[in-house]
Structures are given as structure tokens and as C-alpha cells.
Amino acid sequence: MKTVSRVLNSEPNVSEATRRAVQAAVEKLQYRPHPSARTLAGRRSYLVAMLYDNPSSNYLMEVELGVLDACQAQHYNLMLAPLVYDAKDIVAKVEALILQSRLDGVVLTPPITDDEALLARLDARDIPYASISPKETHRRVGVVLDERSAAREMMAHLVSLGHRRIAHIKGHPAHGASGWRLAGYRDGLQDAGLDYDPTLVVAGEFSHGSGVAATHQLLDLAQPPTAIIAANDDMAAGAICAIFERGLSVPKDVSVCGFDDTPISRQIYPSLTTVRQPTREMGRLAALELLKEIRERRTGGLVDVSYALQLRRSTGPAP
Amino acid sequence: MKTVSRVLNSEPNVSEATRRAVQAAVEKLQYRPHPSARTLAGRRSYLVAMLYDNPSSNYLMEVELGVLDACQAQHYNLMLAPLVYDAKDIVAKVEALILQSRLDGVVLTPPITDDEALLARLDARDIPYASISPKETHRRVGVVLDERSAAREMMAHLVSLGHRRIAHIKGHPAHGASGWRLAGYRDGLQDAGLDYDPTLVVAGEFSHGSGVAATHQLLDLAQPPTAIIAANDDMAAGAICAIFERGLSVPKDVSVCGFDDTPISRQIYPSLTTVRQPTREMGRLAALELLKEIRERRTGGLVDVSYALQLRRSTGPAP
DNA sequence: CTGAAAGCGCTAACAC
DNA sequence: GTGTTAGCGCTTTCAG
């Protein structure tokens, strides 16, 4: 019996002949190991959870697909854990989840990646976790991308088109990406020798509606911008709606660009210039690092992925 | 030990006093039953899967949220099973899934809802399943909506705005909804005393790109339509892109409407007139019926949910 | 109404 | 390299 177990788990100390014989029998009998028996006898649950906020964003759906991919490839199960981040009892909720479901590990998405209380609890319980775009990267497992340089490059693109009054709609303040993208925006201004004008930087929270509102605010300015760089695609789509509502045109009157290259960037008119993040791949890689960490502690690392400007129709020469 | 088990599973034959004592102890010891032990000893896995095709559609994401909701409420786990529907080995794949994961049941989404071979297999293995918008509704468990009447009402809306040349972009032929929506379109023509013009009905496959292509085809007609009713929101968004690309305006030159009321209908300009389907709720209800069916065979039913026209900015008076 | 006994199907630890 | 033994933490069955 144990020999069969060894073959099924690719463990060493089985002769090639025996291994083959077992495999043949498995095939013939259509044998499938029972996951629960395995979990009960062994120490692991073969279950990881993905913790996330805001379940209906385009971005998270892509991430989920990637995480799922990696889990399936390694025969792990994925449990979806939508969390309302406002709730102050997030730590308690996650704790209950871990206790009840015996999770082997968790994948964290922003802004949960940087909840100190939660991370401390995870560490204390010795639950491995991998983060996607965490704010703090010291000694972390997961995946990151140089968002600041991406924003800076996007700025260079706008400047090259002749834009001088470039506005920025910020992301949700709890997300690390918001800060980096703003920093890149400022880098871009500096590169072009432009002054930082605080009236051109308005708050947003990654939602379509917040993009609409922010854009109306910008267009009400005595000297409205000729280009808007939104911290994500949903807000950029909102910006385009607001511009059209005023009878203006994109990109003739105002150029707009977003971030993330989510499906919506190709589904609106005009198609959106944006920064391509390999979102799905990021989910996959984060999950892969998590699984490594689960198998063997201290072997997971922080993977750096690269972005690419995706030039489409929503940006054009300054009027 | 068995008494504790009874209390935890809300089984009868425990005195109120004992029950209370057990509950107090559970609380005090922070005891949590081990899911795998329960699965191993009992006969159920407390696991259901959602089978779906085309994982990146707005529609499915909403459905998933609803299904997840119902499962969590009843302490069932949800396994996501993205399937490539082209593949001819779909039955084998699902079979493997059931065998390996010991699923208690599955939720089916279109067009998998009507794969005869798969359904036969599920029946043979006695695996309960619930369908969301199945084509065939006889003796089925799940949730349906009167799509035909919805399309018909939408037609009435367009006719009331003065439109006479109304085109239809069909959905993916494998989906039942495509047929019903087309039927409702024809009902609407008849109601208005309009002739059916086959050149005004073009093929689509529910994707944005297919909506763009279909619309170009319609606008190339000697007598182009003044209104387009697409079989879903993604294609309607594509139609709007195509119309704008030609320098025309929506709804001034052409009115456009979609189906499903997915998030994108509110994220594009102009906002989309569409048929609201309680998509998330449909996922929830289907899962609920499935769980009923799992607990006690022949108790699940077919729930009928209602739609509502969502009038927004993409439809207006005929030119 | 309560509980003892016997597994569910695996893996860990340890012989051989 | 292979096999034995003893559980993992529950539920089922059946006796009280």
C-alpha cells in the first residue's frame, strides 16, 4: 500500500519496474486517490485561498484566472475569499477561514497585501502567503512590477505628443500602486521640465464613477488639462464618458490614458492607451511562488515582471 | 463523541441541556470540525463545481459571485472549472473532475447546460446539477428567465421611438438565449406590423469583436438600420465602437441596445439601454436549488426570475 | 436520548 | 527497495 502511495506522490525509493506496474494498475482500475483521506492522513489540505476586496473589478478577474491556472496545474484547490475591506474585523475573518478550512496558504491582493495586523497574524500562525503588488517588498514572496517607471514612460509619451497640461486621477489611497503611479507622474513632469500643479491632481478610487467625477472637476478648471492620465482603466473609461458628456472629443480635445490593460480598454471608443500589466500572469506567478513556499519554506521569492505601453486611439497630439 | 457530532450537524435526538452544554464547550475550546475527516467518514464532499466556458465575460463573473454567495452561506465549497467548449473531450474532462474531486454536484452555465452527452453522463452517475438558462427546461433544476418577452419589449421600445429599420445581431448559436432573443425580435417586428428582413439579422458570437464586425456589415447596407438590438452588452459595446469609427453618432444616427445589464453597460459612452437580468441572483438561486437537490433528491426546481428594461442613453428617436 | 465500536482511504514512522 | 502498523478526526451503525 505504501509503495502505491510512493508512486502516486512521486516519492523516491521505488524501483522503475514497480513504479511502472503500479501505474499500469492505476490506469487499468481507473484508480483516483481520495483527496480527503490524503488531507486527513497527511498534514496538508492542498487548499489555498485568494483574499480580495472589490470582487467586480476587471483587474481582479484576470488575477483570479492566473491564480486558478497555477493551482490547477499543481493539483491544489483554490478557495475564493471575497472580503469587505472596510470591515474592521478582517483579521478575525481570515483567522476563522484558516481555522475552518485548514488553508495551506493564501494569495493576497492589494490593498490587503499591506494590512500589518493581518500579516502579523499570518506570520504568527506560520501560514505562507504570496502578495501581488505589495506596497512593502522587504522579505516578501510574490510578484511586483515597476509601476513608477511605467507611469513615467506614459508621461513621456504624452509629452512627446506636445501635451503640457497633464492631469492625473489618483487611485485608491490604500493601494500601493496609487502612490507609485503618482510618483511616476511627478517624475514625468520633472523629466519634461514641467511644474507640478496640485490642481491637476485629483483623487479617485479606481471606480468608473470616481473617474467621471474627477474628470468633471478637471474640466471645470479655468485652464483645463489637454491630457489625463488615470491610475487605472476603469477610471480612464469614466474620464472618456465625462469628456463626451461635455460635447468634447477624445483625443482631439483631451487625451486620456489608463493603467492595467484590462479588457475594457479594448471595448470602449476610442480604444484606450494604457500600460499593459501581465495581470493574469502575475496571478499565476504569485500562486506559483506560494506553492513553492508551501512545499519548502523560504524558497519562494519576489518575482519582477515587466510592463509595456499599449498605445491605442485615446491619445493624440495636443490641440 | 457521537453526541457532539449530532449537535454540530443539527441532528435530532439530543436533549436541549446536552445540546447547550456541547455548544458551550465548542465555544470555549474554539473547536472546529475538520472538513476532510467529515468528508472521509461521511459520504459527501461538500464541494460543488461551476462549469463554464469563456471565463472572461462580464456575464459569467457576475454569475460566479452569486454562486459563491449561496455556497458560502451553506458551508459548501465551490470549485471553478473553466472548460474550453470546443474540445470534444468535454465529457471525459468533467468525468475526471467528478472522479477526482468527488463533487457533490455541479452548476452548469450556457452553453454547457445543453450538452446532451454531458447531461446523460451526469444522470448516469447520479450527480445532481442545476442549470442557468438552459435551452431545454423539461424536468430541470435551475433558473430561467423569459428572454423572448424581454426582447419583444425592447423591440416595442424602439418602435415607440419611431424606428422602423431595426437590425439584430445574434448571439452565439450554441446558446439557448440566442434563439429566444431572435424569436423575441421577430415577435416585436410582427407586433409593429413590420416585415422580417433577413439582411438586417447578422451573426455574432457574444464577443465585442463580433459586434464590431456585424455592425460594419449592417452599416454597409444600401439601407442601413436606424437601430440595432444586439444579443448581449459586449456586442452592443462593439456596435457603438463601429458606429463611432464611421463618424456617426449614438443615438442620433443609430440607436443601440444590449442584453444582460453587465457592468460595461454603465461604463461606456453613451450608457447602454439594455435588459436587466438579475445575473448574480440567478447564480445564487441556481446554486441554492442545487444544494436542495443534493440534500434531498427531487426537491430542487426551476426558478423563474424576471427581467426589466433598463433605459439609458444609447437609444433615442429615429432620425 | 446516549454512546461504543468500526471503519472512511490515505500517509508517517518505522521495520525488514 | 518494500511492507507493516498505527493513526488522522470524523460519521455510520448498532447497542443500550
Side-chain angles (χ1 to χ4, degrees):
Chain A
M1 190 167 172
K2 179 62 205 179
T3 299
V4 174
S5 171
R6 277 199 265 269
V7 173
L8 261 36
N9 292 293
S10 319
E11 284 171 27
N13 298 328
V14 182
S15 76
E16 200 41 53
T18 313
R19 190 178 297 274
R20 240 188 277 285
V22 170
Q23 281 162 344
V26 163
E27 192 55 43
K28 186 175 158 210
L29 301 171
Q30 283 279 303
Y31 170 79
R32 296 287 177 276
H34 191 126
S36 296
R38 167 181 269 183
T39 297
L40 188 58
R43 56 236 303 160
R44 32 175 172 278
S45 66
Y46 297 96
L47 213 210
V48 304
M50 169 170 159
L51 307 187
Y52 60 98
D53 184 27
N54 181 13
S56 51
S57 97
N58 287 304
Y59 169 81
L60 278 168
M61 202 186 62
E62 286 290 314
V63 172
E64 179 191 310
L65 254 22
V67 171
L68 191 57
D69 222 50
C71 289
Q72 287 183 335
Q74 315 233 349
H75 300 289
Y76 265 71
N77 284 110
L78 176 64
M79 166 168 240
L80 262 18
L83 257 26
V84 182
Y85 195 63
D86 314 327
K88 272 287 160 279
D89 57 345
I90 236 196
V91 176
K93 276 208 182 121
V94 174
E95 189 115 61
L97 201 68
I98 292 170
L99 249 50
Q100 288 202 23
S101 307
R102 322 276 158 144
L103 300 178
D104 282 347
V106 293
V107 173
L108 266 26
T109 58
I112 303 174
T113 43
D114 296 282
D115 186 307
E116 289 302 340
L118 178 60
L119 298 183
R121 211 86 197 86
L122 253 22
D123 283 332
R125 285 215 176 267
D126 205 32
I127 307 282
Y129 55 87
S131 310
I132 294 175
S133 294
K135 201 182 262 180
E136 178 56 66
T137 59
H138 181 60
R139 283 171 38 104
R140 282 291 186 74
V141 171
V143 49
V144 289
L145 176 145
D146 186 357
E147 316 234 12
R148 183 169 177 167
S149 299
R152 185 181 195 162
E153 263 188 46
M154 184 59 92
M155 283 294 284
H157 166 63
L158 293 174
V159 168
S160 78
L161 287 169
H163 294 280
R164 291 297 173 266
R165 282 191 70 72
I166 305 174
H168 177 55
I169 303 176
K170 292 189 285 187
H172 193 291
H175 292 238
S178 305
W180 298 319
R181 291 168 189 186
L182 173 60
Y185 164 79
R186 298 192 66 156
D187 290 344
L189 288 178
Q190 195 154 31
D191 291 344
L194 298 170
D195 285 336
Y196 172 76
D197 178 350
T199 63
L200 289 180
V201 175
V202 297
E205 44 187 37
F206 283 144
S207 67
H208 180 88
S210 71
V212 173
T215 303
H216 279 305
Q217 188 180 327
L218 288 168
L219 296 178
D220 281 337
L221 252 33
Q223 276 199 31
T226 66
I228 298 175
I229 171 165
N232 78 347
D233 288 347
D234 285 353
M235 292 196 300
I240 289 176
C241 287
I243 293 165
F244 281 153
E245 270 172 31
R246 294 188 168 224
L248 298 173
S249 145
V250 177
K252 201 162 65 69
D253 299 309
V254 188
S255 284
V256 174
C257 51
F259 250 95
D260 298 347
D261 194 32
T262 50
I264 199 174
S265 64
R266 275 151 277 143
Q267 298 178 345
I268 58 175
Y269 181 87
S271 57
L272 198 62
T273 289
T274 185
V275 175
R276 177 173 147 62
Q277 273 199 67
T279 318
R280 188 161 172 172
E281 183 66 5
M282 288 169 78
R284 216 179 61 84
L285 290 170
L288 249 28
E289 293 305 308
L290 174 65
L291 296 179
K292 249 195 231 168
E293 191 77 5
I294 288 171
R295 292 233 168 67
E296 202 179 337
R297 290 306 160 95
R298 311 252 141 269
T299 56
L302 202 60
V303 182
D304 208 324
V305 296
S306 56
Y307 60 87
L309 252 53
Q310 208 69 33
L311 303 183
R312 297 208 183 89
R313 316 290 294 276
S314 66
T315 48
Chain B
M1 189 164 171
K2 178 62 207 179
T3 300
V4 174
S5 172
R6 278 199 263 270
V7 173
L8 260 36
N9 293 293
S10 318
E11 283 171 27
N13 298 329
V14 182
S15 76
E16 200 42 52
T18 313
R19 189 177 297 272
R20 240 188 278 285
V22 170
Q23 280 161 345
V26 163
E27 192 55 42
K28 187 174 156 209
L29 302 171
Q30 282 279 302
Y31 170 79
R32 297 285 176 277
H34 190 126
S36 296
R38 167 179 272 183
T39 297
L40 188 58
R43 55 237 304 163
R44 33 175 170 278
S45 66
Y46 297 96
L47 214 207
V48 303
M50 169 171 158
L51 307 187
Y52 59 98
D53 183 30
N54 180 11
S56 51
S57 96
N58 287 305
Y59 169 80
L60 278 168
M61 202 185 63
E62 286 290 315
V63 172
E64 179 191 310
L65 254 22
V67 171
L68 190 57
D69 222 51
C71 289
Q72 287 183 335
Q74 315 232 351
H75 300 289
Y76 264 71
N77 285 111
L78 175 65
M79 166 168 241
L80 262 18
L83 256 26
V84 182
Y85 194 63
D86 313 330
K88 272 287 160 280
D89 57 345
I90 235 195
V91 176
K93 275 207 182 126
V94 174
E95 188 116 59
L97 200 71
I98 292 170
L99 249 50
Q100 287 201 24
S101 306
R102 322 276 156 141
L103 300 178
D104 282 348
V106 293
V107 173
L108 266 27
T109 59
I112 304 175
T113 42
D114 296 283
D115 185 307
E116 290 302 341
L118 178 60
L119 298 183
R121 211 88 196 82
L122 253 22
D123 283 332
R125 285 212 176 271
D126 205 31
I127 306 282
Y129 56 87
S131 311
I132 294 176
S133 294
K135 199 182 264 181
E136 178 56 64
T137 57
H138 181 60
R139 283 169 42 102
R140 282 292 187 74
V141 172
V143 49
V144 289
L145 177 144
D146 185 357
E147 315 234 14
R148 182 168 179 169
S149 300
R152 183 180 197 163
E153 263 189 46
M154 184 60 92
M155 283 295 283
H157 166 62
L158 292 174
V159 168
S160 78
L161 286 169
H163 294 280
R164 290 298 172 265
R165 282 191 71 72
I166 305 174
H168 176 55
I169 304 177
K170 291 189 285 186
H172 193 291
H175 291 239
S178 304
W180 297 319
R181 290 168 191 186
L182 173 61
Y185 164 79
R186 298 192 67 157
D187 290 344
L189 287 178
Q190 196 155 29
D191 290 344
L194 297 170
D195 285 335
Y196 172 75
D197 177 352
T199 63
L200 288 180
V201 175
V202 297
E205 46 187 37
F206 283 145
S207 67
H208 180 87
S210 70
V212 172
T215 304
H216 279 305
Q217 189 181 327
L218 289 169
L219 297 179
D220 280 337
L221 251 35
Q223 275 199 34
T226 64
I228 298 175
I229 171 165
N232 79 346
D233 288 347
D234 285 353
M235 293 197 298
I240 289 177
C241 287
I243 293 164
F244 280 154
E245 269 171 32
R246 295 189 166 224
L248 298 173
S249 147
V250 177
K252 202 161 66 67
D253 300 309
V254 188
S255 284
V256 174
C257 50
F259 249 95
D260 297 349
D261 195 32
T262 51
I264 201 174
S265 64
R266 274 150 278 142
Q267 297 177 347
I268 58 176
Y269 183 87
S271 57
L272 197 63
T273 289
T274 185
V275 175
R276 178 173 147 62
Q277 271 200 68
T279 318
R280 188 163 173 171
E281 184 66 6
M282 287 167 79
R284 216 178 62 84
L285 291 171
L288 249 28
E289 292 306 310
L290 174 64
L291 297 179
K292 248 194 232 167
E293 192 76 6
I294 288 172
R295 292 233 169 68
E296 202 179 337
R297 290 305 160 95
R298 311 252 142 269
T299 56
L302 202 60
V303 182
D304 207 323
V305 296
S306 56
Y307 61 88
L309 251 54
Q310 208 68 33
L311 303 183
R312 296 210 183 89
R313 316 291 292 278
S314 66
T315 47

